[in-house]
């Protein structure tokens, strides 16, 4: 069974309440529950982690080294400036997909740039919660064995 770490960064614990016109009305637990059911059908075991703290996310990425087969990450605002999260992903070398609920390219200028994008397989944005499912499916062929 493949093991995938699903990471969500700052403010994503507020989904459902936070700017529903931008991020939709689904809460993070609802999104993760539905993703977990999809993962089961794909013989993938998910571990989900959300944190508002950069160091906690980095620690979780390090823990994934040797214990997980892939990472799905929505780094929230860290997307745009966390060289430390980028370096952690580059260090562990696990197949990773970056997900954003909103289309970051349609929004404020500061959201157009992702410092994470150069170290991941690909980025999915603007498709709401479905992006997590698409990201998980996209990871499958990249996971070893
Ligand atoms: C986000 C986009 C980021 O710009 C923002 O800071 C978030 C959420 C998204 O899922 O659309 O927190 O990653």
């Amino acid at each position: 069974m493949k093991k995938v770490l699903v990471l969500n960064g700052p403010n994503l614990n507020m989904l459902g309440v936070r700017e529903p016109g931008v991020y939709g009305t689904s809460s993070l637990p609802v999104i993760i529950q539905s993703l977990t059911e999809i993962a089961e059908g794909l013989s993938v075991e998910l571990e989900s982690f959300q944190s508002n703290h950069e160091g906690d996310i980095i620690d979780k990425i390090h823990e994934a080294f040797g214990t997980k087969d892939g990472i799905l990450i929505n780094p929230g605002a860290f997307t745009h400036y966390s060289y430390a999260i980028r370096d952690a992903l580059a260090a562990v070398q696990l197949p990773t997909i970056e997900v954003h609920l909103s289309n970051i390219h349609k929004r404020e200028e500061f959201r157009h740039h992702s410092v994470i994008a150069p170290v991941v397989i690909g980025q999915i944005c603007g498709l709401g919660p479905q992006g997590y499912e698409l990201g998980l499916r996209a990871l499958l062929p990249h996971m070893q064995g």
Side-chain angles (χ1 to χ4, degrees):
M1 195 130 173
K2 295 293 169 208
K3 293 186 176 148
V4 171
L5 176 63
V6 184
L7 286 174
N8 280 281
N11 300 305
L12 292 163
N13 56 312
M14 296 301 285
L15 287 178
V17 173
R18 175 191 185 198
E19 302 179 78
V22 176
Y23 298 114
T25 52
S26 302
S27 68
L28 189 58
V30 163
I31 293 172
I32 297 298
Q33 179 53 40
S34 136
L35 192 65
T36 303
E37 284 162 23
I38 292 162
E40 276 166 18
L42 298 169
S43 297
V44 171
E45 186 183 304
L46 288 193
E47 179 186 348
S48 162
F49 181 76
Q50 186 278 329
S51 178
N52 297 318
H53 306 281
E54 190 178 23
D56 290 345
I57 293 170
I58 293 164
D59 287 345
K60 210 68 195 173
I61 293 169
H62 293 173
E63 268 175 38
F65 179 71
T67 64
K68 303 290 183 205
D69 301 294
I71 299 177
L72 197 57
I73 184 167
N74 182 346
F78 287 143
T79 304
H80 315 297
Y81 64 92
S82 178
Y83 299 124
I85 290 178
R86 172 194 169 128
D87 283 353
L89 290 170
V92 300
Q93 287 287 302
L94 285 166
T96 299
I97 306 275
E98 176 185 345
V99 177
H100 301 283
L101 293 151
S102 65
N103 182 346
I104 55 176
H105 304 289
K106 250 191 192 173
R107 301 182 62 200
E108 302 95 320
E109 186 92 34
F110 76 89
R111 295 187 204 274
H112 296 181
H113 183 63
S114 166
V115 300
I116 306 299
V119 298
V120 299
I121 297 166
Q123 183 195 70
I124 295 171
C125 74
L127 301 176
Q130 194 196 9
Y132 288 84
E133 174 185 347
L134 296 173
L136 180 64
R137 290 185 188 277
L139 264 182
L140 293 179
H142 295 276
M143 295 191 288
Q144 300 289 314

